[in-house]
Amino acid sequence: MRLTLEWMSQLRDAAGTAQQVLECPDACHLTEALELALAELPTIHSDPLRSMVMPNGHRHSAILVAVDGVQIACDADPILTDGATILLSSPIAGG
């Protein structure tokens, strides 16, 4: 199945791209899709990005994630569907 991953703000800078299109197995979970996305990036991008998004193999609770426009709880690992768009953003503080 095909997924679109959109990196926003600091994550976009770390990834070196704003968007990735992923080919994933059917019934892929969010965590698995993130691992596949990181594995596809050059090491110069994936290593720093992994420490921001998936330290210790688990999604960082401060990273905002939405799937098809619906925010996902930090402890959730939903099964994704073909054509889903995953948006990831670091927290933004205002003044």
Side-chain angles (χ1 to χ4, degrees):
M1 80 178 168
R2 181 172 279 199
L3 306 173
T4 302
L5 194 141
E6 297 181 356
W7 300 106
M8 305 300 290
S9 59
Q10 292 175 319
L11 302 180
R12 178 183 56 236
D13 294 340
T17 186
Q19 187 178 81
Q20 282 179 268
V21 176
L22 305 171
E23 290 295 333
C24 299
D26 290 341
C28 180
H29 285 262
L30 175 60
T31 300
E32 183 180 1
L34 294 177
E35 288 288 354
L36 290 169
L38 291 168
E40 286 187 1
L41 292 172
T43 305
I44 193 169
H45 295 293
S46 65
D47 285 351
L49 190 58
R50 181 178 304 281
S51 69
M52 296 168 75
V53 176
M54 305 245 339
N56 304 317
H58 302 311
R59 188 163 41 103
H60 195 293
S61 62
I63 299 299
L64 305 175
V65 178
V67 175
D68 293 332
V70 177
Q71 188 169 344
I72 303 299
C74 64
D75 60 348
D77 193 20
I79 295 173
L80 303 171
T81 58
D82 186 40
T85 298
I86 305 161
L87 183 135
L88 288 100
S89 181
S90 55
I92 300 171

